Amino acid sequence: MKKLFISQPMRGKSDKEILEERERAIKTAKAFLGEDVEVIDTFYTDFSPEEKPLEYLARSISDLAKADVAYFTAGWQDARGCRIEYTCAVEYGIDRIE
């Protein structure tokens, strides 16, 4: 079973929209890989509103380091954090699904 990291734009989306998109990504990744996946939870609920966006990104990159494969949802190219996660995945040889 592969560990799956999901990179998705979140700005301007409700929690419901984010979680629904994550579920679609999980289903698509399972079908693409032909196996079940262990999802690395990057829907962080333990940050306060005072946290800086870079703190979220730092944590997500730490989680990305644990992944076997990273799934990039639609629109990732337009989100600064997703682009950085993508660059990290490429540079460190993590398989990607776009």
Side-chain angles (χ1 to χ4, degrees), residues 24-35:
R24 287 190 300 273
I26 292 165
K27 287 178 185 174
T28 302
K30 286 179 181 181
F32 182 82
L33 296 169
E35 64 181 283

Side-chain angles (χ1 to χ4, degrees), residues 8-10 75-84:
Q8 67 185 127
M10 294 185 183
W76 70 265
Q77 303 93 330
D78 301 321
R80 177 181 54 201
C82 294
R83 290 192 310 266
I84 293 168

Side-chain angles (χ1 to χ4, degrees), residues 3-97:
K3 292 182 183 178
L4 176 69
F5 176 90
I6 300 169
S7 179
Q8 67 185 127
M10 294 185 183
R11 180 174 289 180
K13 295 181 181 178
S14 70
D15 287 356
K16 182 179 185 242
E17 291 171 315
I18 292 166
L19 293 171
E20 287 172 350
E21 185 173 41
R22 291 179 71 74
E23 284 304 314
R24 287 190 300 273
I26 292 165
K27 287 178 185 174
T28 302
K30 286 179 181 181
F32 182 82
L33 296 169
E35 64 181 283
D36 203 8
V37 295
E38 178 184 337
V39 180
I40 298 169
D41 187 9
T42 55
F43 182 73
Y44 308 129
T45 58
D46 56 344
F47 278 96
S48 72
E50 295 81 33
E51 303 288 339
K52 296 179 180 178
L54 192 54
E55 292 175 287
Y56 286 90
L57 182 59
R59 184 164 168 191
S60 73
I61 290 172
S62 177
D63 285 336
L64 175 60
K66 301 168 190 164
D68 298 306
V69 62
Y71 185 102
F72 292 85
T73 65
W76 70 265
Q77 303 93 330
D78 301 321
R80 177 181 54 201
C82 294
R83 290 192 310 266
I84 293 168
E85 291 165 349
Y86 185 85
T87 298
C88 290
V90 169
E91 293 294 323
Y92 287 89
I94 297 169
D95 289 336
R96 296 163 314 282
I97 302 170

